[in-house]
Structure formats: C-alpha cells, structure tokens
Amino acid sequence: MKKKSHIKNIRNIGIIAHIDAGKTTVTERILYYTGRSHKIGEVHDGEAVMDWMPDEQERGITITSAVTTCHWKGCAVHIIDTPGHVDFTIEVERSLRVLDGAIGVFCAVGGVEPQSETVWRQADKYRVPKIAFVNKLDRVGADFFGTIEMMKERLRANPLILQLPVGAEDDFTGVIDLINMKQIVWEDETLGATYTAEEIPPSLLDSATEYHEKLIETIAEVDDDIMEDYLSETPIATENLIAAIRRATIDLKLVPVLCGSALKNKGIQPLLDAIVLCLPSPVDIPPIKGVHPETGESIVCKAKDTEPLAALIFKVAMVEGRKLSYVRIYSGTMNARADTYNPSRKINEKLSRILGMHANKRERIDAAGAGSIVGVVGLKESTTGETLCSMDHPVLLEKMEFYEPVISVAVEPKTHADQEKFDQVLEKFMAEDPTLKLKKDEDTGQTILSGMGELHLEVIISRMQREFKTNVNVGKPQVVYRETIEKEGRASAVFDKEVAGQRHFAEVTLRLLPLDRGVEKRFRSEVDNEIIPDSFIPAIKEGVMESLESGALMGYPVVDVEAVLIGGAYKESLSTALAYKVSASMACKTALENGEPFLLDPIMTVEIFISEAFVGDVIGDLNSRGGKIESIEHKMGVNVIKAIVPLSRMFGYSTSLRSATQGRGTFTMQFSHFDRS
C-alpha cells in the first residue's frame, strides 16, 4: 500500500445524487484516471468496480455504499459511492455523517431531481461542503444553465460556475476553464486519459469573458480580499482566486459547479483537481465534539495522530460470514491487534485487523491515523453509530439517527435445512442495516420483516438466497400502520392473584385521550399518594407504555394518545409493582377498545415525471388511489406532479405508471407522515 498521506493531503468525499444521475460512472472514471483500476467498468455492463454485489450488477443501481481510496496530485482521496434510490437513503445518511466533502452529481437532462434534494439536505444537515458536477451533457435535452437555475430554486444553493460546456448533446466536445481561461479538449482514442488545454476560440471568447467576470463578482461578494482587489481593479492572481474559492466552499458560502459527460470520458480530471483544491482536509473543518460518557463534559477531538483515539463506526457489513466494520477515525491512531473501548456498551473490543478498502477488495495495514476511513475486523458486539476510543480517554461521539420502516412482508423458511440458518441470517442483515426490523407475530407465529420500501425488501430476500443459500417463502407486502383513538376511552382493571406462593393485588383506572397527529404518546398521573403510593407509578407507566406497543384493532403500535392515571386502589402488604404493571396493561387495553380505535396510514410524498400528454391520465389514477395533488410544475420540458398518497394504495404503481405513459413516466416516493387515509 502507498505510504501514509499527511492529514492535510487527505480528502474524505462522498458522491451523492438521484438514481441514474451517473454517480457510479463518475466514480469508475476517477478510479481509472488515478490509476486505481486498469480498465473502465461500466454500470450497464454490470462490471462497475464500486457496484460489486450481484444485485447491483443485475439491476444497474447502487444498493450499498462502497469505500475506496485513490491518489491524485499528492492527495489521498477516500471516496464513498452512495446509492441514489430512496429505499437505501440510510446508506447516504450514515456516509455523510463521516465525510468532510461531497460531490453532487446532477443529470443535465433531469436537473435537480427529488432524491437529489433529499441527499443535498442530508449533506446540509451535517454541514458538508459540496461541489456540483453537471453530468450527461452529451444527452439529448441537456441543459447546463437550466440545471444551475434548479440548484438555486430547489436547493437554495449559491452556485459558482467554474466551467462552461463547449457544445451540447451530440456536439458536446469539452469545457472552458473559467479560472485559467482555457478550453479543455479530451482525446477519445485514449478513453479521455489525455487532454489538452487550448486557447479559447474567438467564437466563444465573449461568453467566456462574461462568465469569468461573473465568477470574480460572485467570489467578491463572499470574500473581502477578492472584493478589495475587484473594487480597486487590481489584477487577481489565479492562486488567490483558487484560495478564495476554497475558503468559500469550506464555509458553505458557495458551491463550485463543473460539467462534463462521464460516460464519454470528459470532465473527470478537472473534477479531481477541484476535489483537491476546493474540498477540505480533516484539519480544514471544525474538530468533532463528543462528551465524556460519565461526566457529560464536552470533549473536542482534534484531527491529530497524537491525540487520544476517537472513531465512529458508521457501517457494518457481513463479508463471507465475518463482520466488517467501517470506521472513520477523527483523532488519534488505531493500531491492529490493539484493544479499544466502546463507551456505549462499556466493553473492550480487540481489533484483530485493520483494512484499507477498495470496494469489496481489502489490503491489510498495521495502523491508521486521524482522517482515515478504514475497515476493521474483530469487533464482536460494537455496531453502527457507536464510538471507539481509548480506555484512558473515553469519549462518546454523537449517535446516528435512523429511519423507521414503512413496509413489511411475512417470511418463512422453505425447508428444514433453511430453518436452521434462517434466524441467524436475519440477525446478520439487521446488524448491517439499522432500518431493517424483525418481529414475530404472536397470533400467527409468522416472522415479519419490515423495511424502507418494496425494493429494499426484495434485495434482502435476494441476498438471503444468493449469499447465504437460505430459501424463503415471502408473503405479499404489508403496510406498517399505526393505531390511535377517535374519542376519550376509560377503563378500570383489577389484578388479584397468587403468583409463586404470594398474593399480588392492584387496581388501576385509566383515561386515554386522543392527541393531535405527530404528537408523542405520553403518560401522567392525577392520583394522590394515599390512593396509590408514588413508588408504584413507574410500574403503572411501564405497563401502559408496553400495552400501547400493540393496539386493539390489528396489533400495530398506538400513537397520538395520552394516558392519564385517574384512580385505583392499594392494599398494604399485598400490592406489588408486578400487580400494578399487569393491572395498568389490562386497563389500557380496555380503554383503547372504548376509545373507538382506527388505523393511521403511512402517507407518502410522491413526485411523478411525465410529458404533457399523460398528465390527465396520471392525475385520474392518483385520484382513484386516494391521492391529493399538491402541485403541478413544468420543468425543462417535463411535468412534475407532486402528490401525497397512502402507501397502501401505491403497490404496483410503477407498472400502472409505465402502462399509462407508454413506458416514459418515472416517479419517486418517500415517507411523509402517518394520517387517516
């Protein structure tokens, strides 16, 4: 492996975008031009290095974020290629949590698409500096400036145009570099590996000069040094311009915009230059903060190898049956075969191996320093979102947030041989994917698997069969509903039984009140200490909250209710915490039934992209599904219909949309909220 890079020469970046914008194609070119791979792997051929899973190769999409490292002009660039499909948005979320910079890839035809907005907002949430790459300029309908306008409108971004395209669609030949005022032309014979910087042709010079001036004006608005030179009409040196662009990018004031066509091998080397010149190293961003697990005192983790170790596990994968943990080291040094401490679980973990990652290929390394993203083997209990540190200097980094699943299927093993592996295999998948949930339905005995969408669950089932040779029968997808109540419900319950030779007594009276949508369920007591001693209130609350996990209608979790303890009875020496817990649970179940329970559907935000001719048919279909149209916009030759629709009415929608639009319509869908449909 190449010698360790100085921390100032490390770039931790993610490639983020809507599905089919060309993220993986961009990554494949980066690997080829940096010498990391010796041939270009194409997504459509199923040969992309970063899409190494069989399901990714068959479907032509990225499912799991893959990590690799390449070198460009003295910098080590750690790249995470993230999925674009909304079902796998957790992969983007946990990647952005540990990255220092991101490249947003936009299709010049589709512009800023819905999932682009989602991942951009995720990057904003973690204050990740970004570069934009407008891809697919060789495609029919490509509109570079239209995409820039959409970035301003939809992303509230402040784009800084660093390049102009030369030609468009079939005539796209290269780009104009507005910083150095040169035209860059790539040679097709070398698959874009060689390129030349030429003088700008006279026919393009006026436009290039105009946008060069706009470039300087945009930077001057956010940088005092450039503003000073600009107002005094002092010539601005190129290195000063680049330094100002870097400062503004890292401070999230500007988003540099480059362009090209990754599939046609144009535009990638200047993008690599921009990664090195504009995006931050680990020392250019504020150091991450954690807390002392015992005292709660704030701790700053500086990006230095000499500091105490602070690292975050951002992903867990099962590779060939073994647990591989992906770790971002924020400070200190991690050594192979050394002990580390997990403050969340208060346990020591031994690092048997540290690995440099290149998609599904790995190289063993003895140590890794601050700023590195590595794979670790040997962690037995530690999982996604947990911190690794030294025992002498414990620190707890901020945990990661995960999404709740919205769709379920019943799964069961096909044969007795499958039964033996079934539970073990599902446990491994849940360790990998925090958005995957598993529960046993006590009434039917079925195993219920819940995830983020139909595709998410399809891929899990496919991987069970491919990777673990476990065949399962799968029921139809089921919606994960919630339950609530229409009106106030009251009930009393008495528990008076002998258990294990001891009599237990309790009486509880509860009132359940409906709350507004989206309000957390809660509990309070209005009972005096003489009626029920305060020491038993926690047991009553526990019984109520456990009871609300399973509703009276279909056993779904109950939300948007307040439970109020209004009465009961107590017998000295006979009343116990166990009796109050059981009594509270019984009273809560009856009060739920008395409150006229009903189901809340998961409501999805849907965006549909169609041409003018099909708008009427698509709206009619949405209305028949109980959808509510929120807006219809005309963007870059395409009509975008935004609607909210109950998830239960959206099964098989992709087939309906294709038949209604002659195969031309596309849509995206993500969870919005729970409500009555």
Side-chain angles (χ1 to χ4, degrees):
M1 194 162 177
K2 295 198 179 190
K3 72 182 180 65
K4 185 173 174 294
S5 297
H6 188 277
I7 192 164
K8 282 190 175 175
N9 295 328
I10 292 175
R11 302 288 182 273
N12 290 316
I13 64 159
I15 300 190
I16 60 174
H18 186 87
I19 190 168
D20 207 30
K23 295 180 306 301
T24 302
T25 307
V26 168
T27 312
E28 293 300 317
R29 268 60 181 179
I30 287 174
L31 297 180
Y32 180 67
Y33 299 136
T34 57
R36 194 68 175 87
S37 56
H38 301 294
K39 65 173 242 182
I40 295 176
E42 299 292 11
V43 174
H44 52 264
D45 294 333
E47 293 179 354
V49 173
M50 302 299 273
D51 286 353
W52 54 271
M53 286 171 57
D55 278 290
E56 293 178 315
Q57 292 167 350
E58 277 182 13
R59 298 166 194 269
I61 62 169
T62 302
I63 290 169
T64 181
S65 50
V67 180
T68 191
T69 302
C70 57
H71 292 80
W72 184 257
K73 296 190 176 176
C75 280
V77 184
H78 302 299
I79 301 172
I80 300 182
D81 176 28
T82 65
H85 197 287
V86 68
D87 282 18
F88 309 106
T89 192
I90 184 61
E91 290 284 337
V92 186
E93 180 88 18
R94 59 187 178 184
S95 298
L96 287 168
R97 170 71 170 78
V98 299
L99 290 170
D100 303 327
I103 302 169
V105 179
F106 300 99
C107 170
V109 181
V112 178
E113 296 166 286
Q115 187 62 7
S116 302
E117 291 184 61
T118 302
V119 295
W120 198 270
R121 281 196 298 272
Q122 286 172 308
D124 284 341
K125 172 178 161 186
Y126 294 115
R127 296 191 59 76
V128 177
K130 297 169 284 293
I131 288 174
F133 181 73
V134 180
N135 192 26
K136 301 192 179 185
L137 282 164
D138 59 305
R139 290 266 303 274
V140 174
D143 185 347
F144 175 70
F145 292 106
T147 303
I148 300 284
E149 287 306 309
M150 288 180 81
M151 284 179 66
K152 292 177 185 174
E153 287 172 28
R154 292 196 166 193
L155 307 178
R156 301 287 182 264
N158 189 5
L160 178 70
I161 300 173
L162 300 186
Q163 294 177 344
L164 294 178
V166 178
E169 302 180 353
D170 289 342
D171 298 326
F172 174 67
T173 56
V175 303
I176 289 173
D177 174 359
L178 294 174
I179 295 176
N180 298 298
M181 288 300 280
K182 295 284 183 184
Q183 178 176 344
I184 304 173
V185 180
W186 281 265
E187 292 181 15
D188 293 334
E189 297 76 30
T190 61
L191 295 176
T194 55
Y195 57 98
T196 53
E198 303 171 353
E199 294 303 317
I200 299 170
S203 59
L204 300 173
L205 193 55
D206 287 349
S207 176
T209 304
E210 178 193 341
Y211 278 96
H212 177 74
E213 283 298 314
K214 284 183 180 176
L215 168 76
I216 293 172
E217 285 172 20
T218 306
I219 300 167
E221 286 171 7
V222 297
D223 191 285
D224 292 342
D225 294 346
I226 299 296
M227 176 63 87
E228 211 171 292
D229 290 344
Y230 179 68
L231 292 175
S232 62
E233 298 186 358
T234 305
I236 301 167
T238 301
E239 56 268 28
N240 292 344
L241 204 55
I242 292 169
I245 293 170
R246 179 178 179 78
R247 287 193 296 271
T249 306
I250 293 171
D251 292 343
L252 305 178
K253 292 176 181 174
L254 295 175
V255 178
V257 181
L258 298 93
C259 59
S261 167
L263 190 64
K264 294 294 165 64
N265 310 314
K266 292 177 173 65
I268 301 302
Q269 293 93 337
L271 177 61
L272 277 161
D273 290 340
I275 290 168
V276 170
L277 294 173
C278 301
L279 291 179
S281 74
V283 294
D284 293 321
I285 54 175
I288 194 165
K289 291 181 181 176
V291 295
H292 193 287
E294 304 299 332
T295 65
E297 170 197 358
S298 181
I299 298 172
V300 176
C301 305
K302 293 178 184 171
K304 291 181 181 175
D305 293 353
T306 52
E307 290 280 308
L309 176 67
L312 185 77
I313 303 166
F314 68 93
K315 177 180 161 98
V316 171
M318 293 295 168
V319 179
E320 295 163 4
R322 298 193 69 184
K323 183 176 173 182
L324 173 65
S325 303
Y326 289 81
V327 175
R328 162 70 194 263
I329 303 170
Y330 286 101
S331 69
T333 303
M334 187 176 272
N335 295 297
R337 298 173 294 282
D339 282 342
T340 61
Y341 180 62
N342 179 333
S344 303
R345 297 176 183 265
K346 298 184 178 176
I347 54 168
N348 281 319
E349 291 268 38
K350 193 170 192 71
L351 308 173
S352 59
R353 277 186 287 167
I354 300 175
L355 306 167
M357 303 301 300
H358 178 49
N360 61 332
K361 298 179 177 64
R362 300 170 283 281
E363 301 172 79
R364 290 182 73 156
I365 54 179
D366 293 327
S372 301
I373 293 177
V374 293
V376 170
V377 176
L379 302 179
K380 288 187 170 60
E381 295 183 44
S382 302
T383 190
T384 305
E386 294 181 351
T387 306
L388 297 176
C389 59
S390 65
M391 186 77 183
D392 300 337
H393 298 88
V395 62
L396 198 55
L397 301 177
E398 186 185 351
K399 277 219 161 198
M400 300 166 78
E401 297 173 9
F402 302 122
Y403 301 95
E404 286 299 313
V406 294
I407 192 168
S408 299
V409 290
V411 288
E412 60 181 28
K414 277 191 175 176
T415 67
H416 182 68
D418 294 322
Q419 174 72 56
E420 291 174 4
K421 295 183 284 183
F422 181 67
D423 291 335
Q424 195 179 2
V425 169
L426 285 175
E427 263 181 47
K428 287 180 177 177
F429 280 124
M430 287 173 64
E432 269 193 19
D433 188 345
T435 61
L436 202 61
K437 295 281 192 291
L438 191 69
K439 73 167 188 175
K440 289 269 199 273
D441 188 317
E442 290 175 10
D443 295 332
T444 64
Q446 287 181 311
T447 300
I448 308 296
L449 190 64
S450 305
M452 299 301 294
E454 286 181 272
L455 180 60
H456 185 200
L457 295 177
E458 264 179 46
V459 167
I460 294 296
I461 302 301
S462 170
R463 288 184 62 199
M464 286 178 76
Q465 293 163 344
R466 283 182 197 271
E467 295 174 33
F468 297 97
K469 305 292 184 283
T470 305
N471 294 305
V472 293
N473 293 319
V474 183
K476 283 187 177 177
Q478 297 291 316
V479 175
V480 181
Y481 294 97
R482 295 288 185 269
E483 295 186 20
T484 192
I485 53 174
E486 184 77 53
K487 62 172 192 175
E488 180 183 317
R490 292 182 183 228
S492 294
V494 177
F495 183 84
D496 190 357
K497 283 188 180 176
E498 195 172 288
V499 180
Q502 182 188 345
R503 190 175 162 208
H504 296 259
F505 172 83
E507 183 181 340
V508 168
T509 303
L510 288 175
R511 185 166 58 133
L512 288 187
L513 303 168
L515 298 175
D516 292 335
R517 293 290 83 84
V519 178
E520 289 292 312
K521 59 190 174 193
R522 54 194 187 215
F523 171 87
R524 62 187 168 89
S525 171
E526 293 180 350
V527 171
D528 289 333
N529 189 33
E530 294 93 41
I531 298 172
I532 298 176
D534 289 344
S535 58
F536 293 117
I537 301 300
I540 294 171
K541 180 180 179 180
E542 190 180 343
V544 168
M545 288 305 179
E546 281 184 13
S547 183
L548 292 177
E549 288 301 309
S550 177
L553 272 182
M554 295 172 69
Y556 291 109
V558 179
V559 295
D560 306 338
V561 298
E562 180 179 49
V564 186
L565 176 63
I566 56 171
Y570 165 74
K571 290 183 180 177
E572 198 168 344
S573 79
L574 294 180
S575 291
T576 62
L578 170 68
Y580 277 112
K581 182 179 174 182
V582 175
S583 179
S585 179
M586 291 160 56
C588 187
K589 288 285 183 202
T590 309
L592 279 172
E593 290 170 7
N594 295 339
E596 294 184 10
F598 63 91
L599 289 179
L600 295 174
D601 280 73
I603 306 296
M604 311 302 283
T605 300
V606 182
E607 284 204 349
I608 303 142
F609 301 83
I610 49 168
S611 59
E612 184 76 45
F614 306 116
V615 169
D617 291 341
V618 169
I619 288 176
D621 184 45
L622 285 172
N623 288 334
S624 72
R625 294 172 185 270
K628 293 176 185 166
I629 309 299
E630 293 195 316
S631 68
I632 303 173
E633 298 175 10
H634 188 77
K635 291 276 173 97
M636 296 167 70
V638 177
N639 285 278
V640 183
I641 299 174
K642 290 187 182 180
I644 54 170
V645 192
L647 175 62
S648 57
R649 310 291 292 275
M650 286 299 287
F651 290 125
Y653 184 65
S654 54
T655 307
S656 298
L657 183 64
R658 275 199 295 270
S659 61
T661 61
Q662 299 173 11
R664 295 181 212 162
T666 59
F667 79 103
T668 63
M669 177 172 75
Q670 59 194 95
F671 173 73
S672 172
H673 61 283
F674 283 100
D675 207 343
R676 209 168 194 163
S677 63

PDB file of all heavy atoms in Angstrom, residues 624-637:
ATOM      1  N   SER A 624     -57.895   8.082  -8.015  1.00  0.00           N
ATOM      2  CA  SER A 624     -58.530   6.790  -7.722  1.00  0.00           C
ATOM      3  C   SER A 624     -57.813   6.065  -6.583  1.00  0.00           C
ATOM      4  O   SER A 624     -58.380   5.173  -5.948  1.00  0.00           O
ATOM      5  CB  SER A 624     -58.541   5.906  -8.975  1.00  0.00           C
ATOM      6  OG  SER A 624     -57.223   5.439  -9.260  1.00  0.00           O
ATOM      7  N   ARG A 625     -56.579   6.446  -6.320  1.00  0.00           N
ATOM      8  CA  ARG A 625     -55.803   5.838  -5.230  1.00  0.00           C
ATOM      9  C   ARG A 625     -55.908   6.643  -3.927  1.00  0.00           C
ATOM     10  O   ARG A 625     -55.168   6.386  -2.982  1.00  0.00           O
ATOM     11  CB  ARG A 625     -54.326   5.725  -5.639  1.00  0.00           C
ATOM     12  CG  ARG A 625     -54.075   4.770  -6.787  1.00  0.00           C
ATOM     13  CD  ARG A 625     -52.630   4.851  -7.288  1.00  0.00           C
ATOM     14  NE  ARG A 625     -52.432   4.014  -8.454  1.00  0.00           N
ATOM     15  CZ  ARG A 625     -52.056   2.733  -8.412  1.00  0.00           C
ATOM     16  NH1 ARG A 625     -51.806   2.163  -7.257  1.00  0.00           N
ATOM     17  NH2 ARG A 625     -51.894   2.041  -9.519  1.00  0.00           N
ATOM     18  N   GLY A 626     -56.771   7.626  -3.905  1.00  0.00           N
ATOM     19  CA  GLY A 626     -56.936   8.433  -2.698  1.00  0.00           C
ATOM     20  C   GLY A 626     -55.844   9.476  -2.537  1.00  0.00           C
ATOM     21  O   GLY A 626     -55.620   9.988  -1.437  1.00  0.00           O
ATOM     22  N   GLY A 627     -55.173   9.815  -3.633  1.00  0.00           N
ATOM     23  CA  GLY A 627     -54.091  10.800  -3.571  1.00  0.00           C
ATOM     24  C   GLY A 627     -54.608  12.228  -3.603  1.00  0.00           C
ATOM     25  O   GLY A 627     -55.716  12.491  -4.090  1.00  0.00           O
ATOM     26  N   LYS A 628     -53.813  13.143  -3.056  1.00  0.00           N
ATOM     27  CA  LYS A 628     -54.148  14.568  -3.108  1.00  0.00           C
ATOM     28  C   LYS A 628     -53.041  15.274  -3.877  1.00  0.00           C
ATOM     29  O   LYS A 628     -51.867  15.222  -3.479  1.00  0.00           O
ATOM     30  CB  LYS A 628     -54.251  15.152  -1.701  1.00  0.00           C
ATOM     31  CG  LYS A 628     -55.422  14.607  -0.909  1.00  0.00           C
ATOM     32  CD  LYS A 628     -55.429  15.139   0.504  1.00  0.00           C
ATOM     33  CE  LYS A 628     -56.544  14.471   1.314  1.00  0.00           C
ATOM     34  NZ  LYS A 628     -56.392  14.698   2.758  1.00  0.00           N
ATOM     35  N   ILE A 629     -53.393  15.933  -4.959  1.00  0.00           N
ATOM     36  CA  ILE A 629     -52.410  16.645  -5.783  1.00  0.00           C
ATOM     37  C   ILE A 629     -52.026  17.937  -5.068  1.00  0.00           C
ATOM     38  O   ILE A 629     -52.891  18.745  -4.719  1.00  0.00           O
ATOM     39  CB  ILE A 629     -52.976  16.969  -7.189  1.00  0.00           C
ATOM     40  CG1 ILE A 629     -53.567  15.721  -7.846  1.00  0.00           C
ATOM     41  CG2 ILE A 629     -51.888  17.594  -8.067  1.00  0.00           C
ATOM     42  CD1 ILE A 629     -52.623  14.590  -8.084  1.00  0.00           C
ATOM     43  N   GLU A 630     -50.736  18.136  -4.860  1.00  0.00           N
ATOM     44  CA  GLU A 630     -50.269  19.349  -4.187  1.00  0.00           C
ATOM     45  C   GLU A 630     -49.795  20.400  -5.177  1.00  0.00           C
ATOM     46  O   GLU A 630     -49.968  21.592  -4.950  1.00  0.00           O
ATOM     47  CB  GLU A 630     -49.135  19.000  -3.219  1.00  0.00           C
ATOM     48  CG  GLU A 630     -49.618  18.140  -2.048  1.00  0.00           C
ATOM     49  CD  GLU A 630     -48.614  18.098  -0.924  1.00  0.00           C
ATOM     50  OE1 GLU A 630     -47.405  17.931  -1.216  1.00  0.00           O
ATOM     51  OE2 GLU A 630     -49.025  18.248   0.238  1.00  0.00           O
ATOM     52  N   SER A 631     -49.174  19.969  -6.274  1.00  0.00           N
ATOM     53  CA  SER A 631     -48.727  20.948  -7.281  1.00  0.00           C
ATOM     54  C   SER A 631     -48.413  20.231  -8.586  1.00  0.00           C
ATOM     55  O   SER A 631     -48.132  19.028  -8.602  1.00  0.00           O
ATOM     56  CB  SER A 631     -47.477  21.707  -6.792  1.00  0.00           C
ATOM     57  OG  SER A 631     -46.371  20.832  -6.725  1.00  0.00           O
ATOM     58  N   ILE A 632     -48.488  21.001  -9.670  1.00  0.00           N
ATOM     59  CA  ILE A 632     -48.047  20.524 -10.991  1.00  0.00           C
ATOM     60  C   ILE A 632     -47.132  21.602 -11.550  1.00  0.00           C
ATOM     61  O   ILE A 632     -47.538  22.753 -11.716  1.00  0.00           O
ATOM     62  CB  ILE A 632     -49.236  20.287 -11.954  1.00  0.00           C
ATOM     63  CG1 ILE A 632     -50.235  19.295 -11.343  1.00  0.00           C
ATOM     64  CG2 ILE A 632     -48.741  19.784 -13.299  1.00  0.00           C
ATOM     65  CD1 ILE A 632     -51.519  19.140 -12.136  1.00  0.00           C
ATOM     66  N   GLU A 633     -45.887  21.250 -11.802  1.00  0.00           N
ATOM     67  CA  GLU A 633     -44.910  22.214 -12.312  1.00  0.00           C
ATOM     68  C   GLU A 633     -44.385  21.744 -13.661  1.00  0.00           C
ATOM     69  O   GLU A 633     -44.307  20.551 -13.924  1.00  0.00           O
ATOM     70  CB  GLU A 633     -43.725  22.349 -11.337  1.00  0.00           C
ATOM     71  CG  GLU A 633     -44.094  22.875  -9.966  1.00  0.00           C
ATOM     72  CD  GLU A 633     -42.914  22.868  -9.018  1.00  0.00           C
ATOM     73  OE1 GLU A 633     -41.782  22.630  -9.483  1.00  0.00           O
ATOM     74  OE2 GLU A 633     -43.122  23.084  -7.811  1.00  0.00           O
ATOM     75  N   HIS A 634     -44.016  22.716 -14.466  1.00  0.00           N
ATOM     76  CA  HIS A 634     -43.405  22.393 -15.759  1.00  0.00           C
ATOM     77  C   HIS A 634     -41.927  22.759 -15.669  1.00  0.00           C
ATOM     78  O   HIS A 634     -41.585  23.919 -15.508  1.00  0.00           O
ATOM     79  CB  HIS A 634     -44.087  23.175 -16.883  1.00  0.00           C
ATOM     80  CG  HIS A 634     -43.637  22.750 -18.251  1.00  0.00           C
ATOM     81  ND1 HIS A 634     -44.087  21.585 -18.840  1.00  0.00           N
ATOM     82  CD2 HIS A 634     -42.746  23.302 -19.115  1.00  0.00           C
ATOM     83  CE1 HIS A 634     -43.499  21.465 -20.034  1.00  0.00           C
ATOM     84  NE2 HIS A 634     -42.693  22.488 -20.214  1.00  0.00           N
ATOM     85  N   LYS A 635     -41.068  21.762 -15.713  1.00  0.00           N
ATOM     86  CA  LYS A 635     -39.624  21.994 -15.578  1.00  0.00           C
ATOM     87  C   LYS A 635     -38.887  21.336 -16.733  1.00  0.00           C
ATOM     88  O   LYS A 635     -38.947  20.118 -16.904  1.00  0.00           O
ATOM     89  CB  LYS A 635     -39.105  21.396 -14.258  1.00  0.00           C
ATOM     90  CG  LYS A 635     -39.593  22.124 -13.010  1.00  0.00           C
ATOM     91  CD  LYS A 635     -38.726  23.320 -12.701  1.00  0.00           C
ATOM     92  CE  LYS A 635     -39.304  24.143 -11.570  1.00  0.00           C
ATOM     93  NZ  LYS A 635     -38.745  23.862 -10.290  1.00  0.00           N
ATOM     94  N   MET A 636     -38.169  22.132 -17.504  1.00  0.00           N
ATOM     95  CA  MET A 636     -37.266  21.622 -18.539  1.00  0.00           C
ATOM     96  C   MET A 636     -37.947  20.568 -19.427  1.00  0.00           C
ATOM     97  O   MET A 636     -37.431  19.475 -19.649  1.00  0.00           O
ATOM     98  CB  MET A 636     -36.010  21.034 -17.891  1.00  0.00           C
ATOM     99  CG  MET A 636     -35.201  22.088 -17.145  1.00  0.00           C
ATOM    100  SD  MET A 636     -33.944  21.406 -16.078  1.00  0.00           S
ATOM    101  CE  MET A 636     -32.790  20.777 -17.284  1.00  0.00           C
ATOM    102  N   GLY A 637     -39.150  20.903 -19.899  1.00  0.00           N
ATOM    103  CA  GLY A 637     -39.831  20.017 -20.841  1.00  0.00           C
ATOM    104  C   GLY A 637     -40.559  18.851 -20.197  1.00  0.00           C
ATOM    105  O   GLY A 637     -41.116  18.004 -20.886  1.00  0.00           O
TER     106      GLY A 637
END
